[in-house]
Amino acid sequence: MIEFLMNLKGRDLKTLADYSKEEITYLLDLSAELKRKMKNKEPYRPLEGHSMAMIFQKRSTRTRVSTETGFAYLGGHALFLGSSDIQLGKNETLQDTALVLSRFNDIILARVFDHSDIDELAKHSSVPVINALSDKFHPLQILADYLTIREHFGKLEGLTLAWVGDGNNVLHSFMTSAAKMGMNLRIATPEGYRPADDVVAIAKADAETNGTELFITSDPKEAVKGAHVVVTDTWVSMGQDAEAEQRLKAFQGYQVTMELCKNADPNWVFMHCLPRKPHEVDDEVFYSERSIVFDEAENRMYTVMAVALVLLGKDN
Ligand code: CP
Ligand code: NVA
């Protein structure tokens, strides 16, 4: 249920660092309500006559399909603009692209390499910009993850999330929001693959303010102690292909297995934003009852629908 009204109309979603606990909770409540409506096949088309430009400089299955499908369910039209479809990056600047797309579209969603490209698009666009993954953050993913955790445990507050893997964009999005939601974070990354210093600073400050734990180690076994949610991701993010060999070596010992998680909370669950490779998590965990990865993938749709609705001021 939506417990209170909130006006997020016209905002960008570049990072969850810009969103308060109340705003994130509001988005999750609206996502749950949309999920209920969609499951019941209730017609709900508040975005009729609205269009979204979706810029993808990188591959995508979940983000693209959940956004395109979800926007269509709401009555809107979403255009997929792959890197070879538009002038961006070859013939035209981000500034001019943002200025032109703002004339046609009500909202812009973009998956980019450099996070500064999201800032640049948002700076010049006159319509809201949604970050659909940059090298620094992946806020849409983490909204879906929180919805999934909340569905499973009935709450976020007081839970401990352990990250075992790379100090990457997905981890950064947990780090800029988990403490606000009352969650403890225990992180294991190999030396040299730690999260960015500025993100660690935000996470530390948020943990102090909210009285939650932030623990960073290079020992995966230590990180998963007492965890309710164990999360990993690819060891080689999009754009890092040249480092693949070196990364695969550095992450030895980081595969999530039942043995690794034996000191996690007895009710621990496993999450992964996908796509997944078996070296990150073995089949025994990935396809087990503990794995909530496909609920997590499904929830990408309801959460991006909620984000589009609130940024367009169509949520109430
Ligand atoms: N998790 C996620 O963002 O997946 P895609 O790369 O398939 O969009
Ligand atoms: N960290 C991964 C997430 C993919 C959804 C990447 O950036 O490639």
Side-chain angles (χ1 to χ4, degrees):
M1 280 294 293
I2 298 161
E3 281 159 14
F4 43 84
L5 295 178
M6 190 166 293
N7 190 3
L8 293 165
K9 185 177 175 181
R11 292 263 298 269
D12 299 310
L13 175 58
K14 300 191 287 185
T15 160
L16 291 176
D18 298 339
Y19 281 63
S20 68
K21 173 184 182 168
E22 289 71 28
E23 289 165 344
I24 293 172
T25 304
Y26 179 74
L27 286 168
L28 298 178
D29 290 345
L30 182 59
S31 306
E33 178 64 10
L34 289 164
K35 184 169 186 174
R36 190 195 59 73
K37 278 194 170 79
M38 295 299 119
K39 294 277 183 198
N40 289 337
K41 303 270 178 219
E42 283 177 30
Y44 183 58
R45 300 176 67 80
L47 296 187
E48 250 165 31
H50 289 73
S51 73
M52 174 190 273
M54 305 193 303
I55 298 171
F56 279 86
Q57 295 181 358
K58 295 173 176 168
R59 291 183 304 273
S60 170
T61 298
R62 279 140 291 268
T63 308
R64 181 204 171 160
V65 179
S66 62
T67 305
E68 203 167 319
T69 309
F71 209 74
Y73 279 140
L74 293 172
H77 177 63
L79 296 96
F80 176 74
L81 307 171
S83 46
S84 53
D85 299 322
I86 56 171
Q87 304 281 8
L88 177 63
K90 298 270 189 304
N91 273 333
E92 201 157 28
T93 61
L94 278 165
Q95 176 172 354
D96 292 356
T97 305
L99 290 169
V100 170
L101 291 179
S102 300
R103 298 287 178 111
F104 300 131
N105 302 110
D106 302 291
I107 191 160
I108 297 171
L109 172 140
R111 170 167 286 196
V112 301
F113 287 93
D114 296 335
H115 186 72
S116 60
D117 284 2
I118 293 288
D119 289 330
E120 180 77 358
L121 276 172
K123 182 175 163 197
H124 297 290
S125 163
S126 59
V127 300
V129 170
I130 300 173
N131 177 3
L133 182 149
S134 64
D135 59 356
K136 191 83 179 267
F137 297 113
H138 195 3
L140 290 175
Q141 180 65 52
I142 275 36
L143 288 174
D145 290 8
Y146 288 150
L147 180 64
T148 314
I149 296 168
R150 219 175 65 161
E151 285 173 349
H152 188 84
F153 288 100
K155 62 176 185 179
L156 295 176
E157 205 156 345
L159 297 180
T160 297
L161 188 144
W163 177 271
V164 177
D166 190 17
N168 67 13
N169 44 7
V170 176
L171 173 61
H172 286 166
S173 283
F174 277 123
M175 292 180 74
T176 47
S177 56
K180 284 187 289 209
M181 305 314 288
M183 297 182 79
N184 304 307
L185 267 186
R186 296 177 65 84
I187 298 166
T189 67
E191 297 293 345
Y193 295 93
R194 288 275 156 104
D197 290 344
D198 60 330
V199 175
V200 174
I202 294 173
K204 267 192 186 150
D206 282 357
E208 269 168 36
T209 310
N210 294 284
T212 58
E213 182 190 23
L214 174 69
F215 174 70
I216 305 182
T217 176
S218 50
D219 180 352
K221 280 202 179 81
E222 200 54 41
V224 301
K225 271 188 187 159
H228 302 94
V229 186
V230 176
V231 193
T232 191
D233 181 18
T234 183
W235 297 344
V236 185
S237 282
M238 289 180 277
Q240 297 175 334
D241 294 336
E243 301 168 29
E245 203 181 316
Q246 183 193 334
R247 283 178 162 270
L248 295 190
K249 268 192 210 134
F251 285 85
Q252 288 314 304
Y254 276 71
Q255 189 190 40
V256 177
T257 60
M258 294 293 180
E259 171 63 21
L260 178 80
C261 298
K262 69 178 182 211
N263 291 322
D265 184 88
N267 295 317
W268 70 276
V269 294
F270 174 73
M271 298 182 78
H272 190 307
C273 64
L274 310 179
R276 162 259 184 179
K277 302 224 173 39
H279 55 234
E280 298 140 15
V281 49
D282 69 4
D283 281 358
E284 188 187 4
V285 171
F286 189 74
Y287 293 110
S288 72
E289 291 287 302
R290 293 190 181 277
S291 175
I292 52 174
V293 296
F294 297 107
D295 292 335
E296 180 184 5
E298 178 186 342
N299 284 336
R300 291 296 309 276
M301 188 169 80
Y302 313 114
T303 40
V304 74
M305 290 166 81
V307 168
L309 280 179
V310 300
L311 302 187
L312 289 168
K314 293 284 174 185
D315 49 320
N316 47 51

